[in-house]
Amino acid sequence: MLERLEPDGTVTWRQTRNALRTEASLWMAALRAAGIGPGDRVAVSLGKSTGLVTAHLAILGVGASVVPLNPALTARETEAVLQRAEVRLAISHAETVSRAPEVLAAVQGPWWIVGNTDELPERITPLADALAGQRPGLEPVARDDDDVALLLFTSGTTGTPKGVGLTHKNLRANLQALLVETWEMTDRDRLLHALPPHHLHGLGLGIYGSLYVGNAVVFLERFDPAVVLRAFDPHRISVFMGVPTMYHRLLDVDASVTLSSMRVFTCGSAPLSPETFRRFQERFGFTIVERYGLTETAINTSNPLRGPWKPGSVGPALPGIEVSIFDPQTLQRLSTDETGEIWVRGPNVFSGYWNNPEATAATFHQDWFRTGDLGVIDGDGYVAIRGRIKELIIVGGTNVTPGEVETVLETEPGVAECAVVGLPDPDLGERIAAFIVPRPGEQAAALEQRLRAKVEQDLAPYKRPRLYRFLETIPRNAMGKIERNKLRD
Ligand code: AMP
């Protein structure tokens, strides 16, 4: 069952699994009539509509791969994705094209429009016309394990976006290991879906995961903390998937809520602070289950559903997946409790960047995928993330990970949020700057004094921030990742 919930608490539509299937087979007939089949790629830019899920089911059903488009991309970025992926057909709302008609040329075939089609260029076919005269009832095409189901473009916060093809096997293996075996999701669950529907998190786990498990999904177009809290009980929600920013914002809402149907809150895409983890536990009585993944590998680790939980840890490797720590220079495997680069191998790992053998060669070592993340594994196999290699701060030749400094700063009760970056320093190469969001009522000067005293106690001298800056918010992208370049600027 798929439902759409509006911010005022009303459900505007409901669609059963069977209805979705029937609609998808109608779309499949239209896709086939347009010449789309195995080996083709179709772009999708739709909000949380029944059409969104139908489009994915139908494209996969005819054996093609889906290229989800992030609506926040500019016309230039959208064109680059469409061209790089060699997209044969695109399906979107009218606004995507009317905002930037030049993107039309980047698709090799037709463009289908859902919704109002007034004053649109000629090459566009209204979806209704594409579907007219088609008959449902087609069976999905069988695909091989190694065929690409989803071609995602990485967020691009680290440079040019690269295409990541996740195969049917990658997705199936990962959804089984994470959702079924670790989070124990079943068809009795009801997921409140407040994430964007075009990334691995919201699409791969939230939508594909629900189709895989068979649970109901309640779509909220966008995350609004007060609306989310009000929705849990009346809509009998049992699973919520969020990014850390969402959990901070839920904690900021001053309302009493009952969570009688709730079973599991999960978090990922960026580090969840131990402080938020603790406050959420205290206030709502639920332990946020944090997991860690990348577009290229889907999810690698998760905290167990019933503990033991370790704040600041993303849990042990999922069943069937190997996670290890290596020295990024010598490529030697490191021991327990030593910090290095996190490498991953298993059925979840993609096979290489789309048409980009150089990038592929640079990120694999034999069958290990080098994540570019720094981490450490403890004696129980629990992984803790220490930041990105590129974010490593080198103070006078000694490495400092932002994560270890942030973890200490966050234990000061006056700190709501913080982020640490390296700034150029003529003497030491880099020095550490801390950006702090104080809790309401905190005086910056007094808080800085307490923080300086705290780091003196808890951190070696070279790890201590030299500079403190107080902000209202830490700049983050849509998935909650800190935009460190902005802070540096
Ligand atoms: P993306 O491919 O855009 O999903 O970004 C993946 C990156 O997000 C990883 O390489 C990590 O740096 C970061 N990430 C994801 N989950 C976590 C987590 N639970 N804790 C810390 N960082 C995370």
Side-chain angles (χ1 to χ4, degrees):
M1 177 73 80
L2 188 63
E3 297 175 5
R4 158 86 183 210
L5 179 64
E6 300 305 326
D8 67 2
T10 55
V11 171
T12 40
W13 50 256
R14 269 197 182 94
Q15 203 175 28
T16 62
R17 206 175 167 80
N18 277 343
L20 265 175
R21 210 175 272 145
T22 306
E23 195 174 298
S25 68
L26 186 65
W27 287 46
M28 277 167 59
L31 285 167
R32 275 200 201 144
I36 304 297
D40 290 328
R41 281 160 305 284
V42 177
V44 174
S45 175
L46 296 170
K48 293 186 185 173
S49 48
T50 53
L52 171 73
V53 178
T54 308
H56 280 268
L57 284 172
I59 295 164
L60 295 172
V62 298
S65 318
V66 189
V67 182
L69 294 179
N70 177 349
L73 295 185
T74 62
R76 195 180 56 77
E77 291 165 322
T78 306
E79 272 181 283
V81 168
L82 293 170
Q83 273 160 0
R84 231 171 285 168
E86 296 166 79
V87 164
R88 290 267 330 267
L89 183 143
I91 307 175
S92 77
H93 291 302
E95 300 81 65
T96 311
V97 181
S98 49
R99 231 181 345 162
E102 64 268 32
V103 296
L104 268 179
V107 173
Q108 296 171 1
W111 196 303
W112 292 352
I113 287 293
V114 180
N116 179 11
T117 54
D118 293 346
E119 291 175 39
L120 284 169
E122 255 176 38
R123 272 191 54 201
I124 294 181
T125 313
L127 178 72
D129 291 359
L131 296 176
Q134 307 293 345
R135 289 170 164 274
L138 291 171
E139 282 303 310
V141 179
R143 298 302 280 149
D144 288 337
D145 271 0
D146 294 334
D147 289 328
V148 169
L150 202 52
L151 181 57
L152 296 167
F153 280 78
T154 50
S155 53
T157 44
T158 51
T160 327
K162 292 187 287 249
V164 174
L166 291 173
T167 63
H168 289 268
K169 180 178 83 184
N170 293 149
L171 289 166
R172 214 176 40 236
N174 205 237
L175 296 173
Q176 177 67 25
L178 180 72
L179 301 186
V180 178
E181 290 172 32
T182 307
W183 295 349
E184 300 176 15
M185 281 178 70
T186 71
D187 58 2
R188 289 184 305 281
D189 275 311
R190 287 173 61 81
L191 168 74
L192 182 61
H193 193 295
L195 289 161
H198 49 260
H199 291 128
L200 179 80
H201 198 171
L203 177 63
L205 304 191
I207 298 177
Y208 285 22
S210 298
L211 290 167
Y212 181 76
V213 170
N215 57 275
V217 180
V218 178
F219 272 157
L220 261 182
E221 184 63 34
R222 56 182 55 81
F223 175 79
D224 175 325
V227 173
V228 165
L229 282 180
R230 272 202 310 270
F232 286 131
D233 239 36
H235 295 277
R236 293 173 289 110
I237 302 301
S238 59
V239 181
F240 181 75
M241 298 178 184
V243 298
T245 319
M246 293 181 174
Y247 288 103
H248 301 152
R249 298 206 180 137
L250 289 175
L251 281 165
D252 283 344
V253 179
D254 187 15
S256 70
V257 277
T258 36
L259 298 171
S260 55
S261 50
M262 207 54 205
R263 200 173 64 74
V264 55
F265 287 92
T266 73
C267 184
S269 294
L272 176 74
S273 75
E275 168 71 0
T276 305
F277 174 91
R278 186 188 57 73
R279 286 179 59 217
F280 199 84
Q281 214 170 24
E282 262 173 31
R283 161 125 183 241
F284 296 110
F286 277 88
T287 305
I288 300 173
V289 175
E290 189 179 2
R291 91 308 180 273
Y292 156 70
L294 290 88
T295 308
E296 289 88 335
T297 61
I299 309 307
N300 301 309
T301 74
S302 169
N303 274 286
L305 194 59
R306 284 178 249 289
W309 301 290
K310 301 189 185 191
S313 162
V314 291
L318 294 176
I321 298 177
E322 248 184 292
V323 176
S324 244
I325 306 296
F326 285 77
D327 183 315
Q329 263 86 46
T330 65
L331 311 185
Q332 296 302 307
R333 202 188 282 238
L334 298 178
S335 329
T336 305
D337 293 330
E338 286 186 310
T339 301
E341 186 179 13
I342 301 174
W343 291 15
V344 181
R345 64 180 173 190
N348 55 314
V349 177
F350 82 135
S351 51
Y353 292 105
W354 190 254
N355 289 339
N356 194 343
E358 297 80 29
T360 304
T363 40
F364 277 91
H365 180 71
Q366 294 152 1
D367 58 345
W368 287 99
F369 174 73
R370 306 178 55 166
T371 63
D373 287 316
L374 291 164
V376 60
I377 305 183
D378 74 8
D380 300 325
Y382 278 58
V383 179
I385 313 289
R386 295 281 186 250
R388 302 278 305 162
I389 287 192
K390 286 198 194 105
E391 289 163 4
L392 196 68
I393 308 169
I394 305 175
V395 184
T398 315
N399 294 351
V400 182
T401 61
E404 59 185 327
V405 183
E406 288 162 3
T407 308
V408 169
L409 297 173
E410 274 158 4
T411 56
E412 158 60 48
V415 172
E417 259 192 290
C418 73
V420 157
V421 300
L423 296 180
D425 184 87
D427 181 32
L428 295 167
E430 278 186 294
R431 73 202 148 114
I432 299 177
F435 293 85
I436 310 285
V437 179
R439 286 203 185 286
E442 281 292 340
Q443 290 299 323
L447 181 57
E448 177 172 338
Q449 239 178 15
R450 294 208 306 276
L451 285 170
R452 286 190 185 271
K454 172 168 256 327
V455 298
E456 215 159 289
Q457 216 170 44
D458 293 352
L459 290 173
Y462 67 94
K463 295 183 187 171
R464 293 177 198 156
R466 302 289 132 157
L467 189 79
Y468 288 82
R469 285 279 178 279
F470 293 84
L471 303 174
E472 276 175 26
T473 50
I474 299 284
R476 289 175 188 274
N477 70 11
M479 295 308 283
K481 292 184 210 304
I482 297 175
E483 296 179 304
R484 290 184 204 264
N485 286 343
K486 286 197 181 156
L487 289 173
R488 260 179 232 116
D489 292 347

